[in-house]
């Protein structure tokens, strides 16, 4: 299943996409400013079958104003899509993206954060699937 991840921020939304098998993640870039219609168009162009919006929780797991913004963005995005939209905990993805940038990754930091979000989401799905 091809999944698009969105690292929503007030100024821009970083995006990343998985391959159809859900094993390889590629940063796509940013949508600036974060526009649900533009992200929906990107999802359609990339053939996304699911969109995951990062949910910025505190280290204790609490939701604050940024989480409310991300949820509202996800709801607005869902209104423009025919595929499901989910939220997923994005704690520490910005820090991981900074590490990737220092290691030489060329994508914008917000897109790297979306890629880390997507990798975490896909790994969580793999761990929760029953063995075949």
């Amino acid at each position: 299943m091809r999944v698009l991840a969105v690292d929503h921020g007030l100024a821009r939304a970083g995006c990343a996409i998985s391959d159809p098998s859900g094993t390889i993640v590629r940063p796509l870039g940013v949508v600036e400013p974060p526009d649900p219609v533009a992200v929906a168009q990107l999802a359609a162009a990339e053939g996304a079958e699911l969109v995951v919006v990062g949910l910025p929780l505190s280290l204790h797991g609490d939701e604050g104003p940024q989480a409310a913004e991300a949820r509202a963005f996800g709801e607005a995005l869902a209104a423009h899509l025919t595929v499901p939209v989910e939220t997923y905990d994005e704690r520490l993805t910005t820090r991981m993206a900074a590490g990737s940038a220092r290691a030489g990754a060329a994508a914008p930091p917000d897109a790297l954060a979306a890629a880390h979000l997507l990798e975490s989401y896909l790994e969580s799905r793999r761990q929760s699937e029953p063995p075949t």
Side-chain angles (χ1 to χ4, degrees), residues 56-78:
L57 303 175
S58 73
L59 291 178
H60 298 293
D62 300 325
E63 291 190 25
Q66 287 182 314
E69 289 282 339
R71 283 191 186 280
F73 182 83
E75 290 170 9
L77 179 57

Side-chain angles (χ1 to χ4, degrees), residues 1-5 16-28 46-50 118-119 121-122 126:
M1 172 186 303
R2 190 177 293 273
V3 181
L4 178 82
I17 191 81
S18 74
D19 70 328
S21 70
T23 55
I24 299 172
V25 172
R26 176 175 53 96
L28 289 176
E46 292 290 333
E49 300 167 78
L50 171 71
L118 185 51
E119 288 170 344
Y121 174 81
L122 293 170
R126 279 190 288 277

Side-chain angles (χ1 to χ4, degrees), residues 52 75 82 116:
V52 177
E75 290 170 9
T82 58
H116 285 294

Side-chain angles (χ1 to χ4, degrees), residues 40-130:
Q41 291 170 343
L42 180 62
E46 292 290 333
E49 300 167 78
L50 171 71
V51 177
V52 177
V53 176
L55 189 62
L57 303 175
S58 73
L59 291 178
H60 298 293
D62 300 325
E63 291 190 25
Q66 287 182 314
E69 289 282 339
R71 283 191 186 280
F73 182 83
E75 290 170 9
L77 179 57
H80 298 282
L81 290 170
T82 58
V83 299
V85 176
E86 297 180 13
T87 57
Y88 187 75
D89 182 359
E90 70 169 29
R91 281 180 276 189
L92 304 179
T93 57
T94 301
R95 183 173 296 160
M96 292 180 344
S100 295
R102 283 192 302 276
D110 295 302
L112 291 173
H116 285 294
L117 165 70
L118 185 51
E119 288 170 344
S120 177
Y121 174 81
L122 293 170
E123 180 60 28
S124 172
R125 281 186 61 143
R126 279 190 288 277
Q127 290 179 0
S128 67
E129 290 176 352

Side-chain angles (χ1 to χ4, degrees), residues 6-36:
V6 180
D7 179 51
H8 177 264
L10 296 178
R12 68 195 62 80
C15 299
I17 191 81
S18 74
D19 70 328
S21 70
T23 55
I24 299 172
V25 172
R26 176 175 53 96
L28 289 176
V30 297
V31 174
E32 194 171 1
D35 175 24

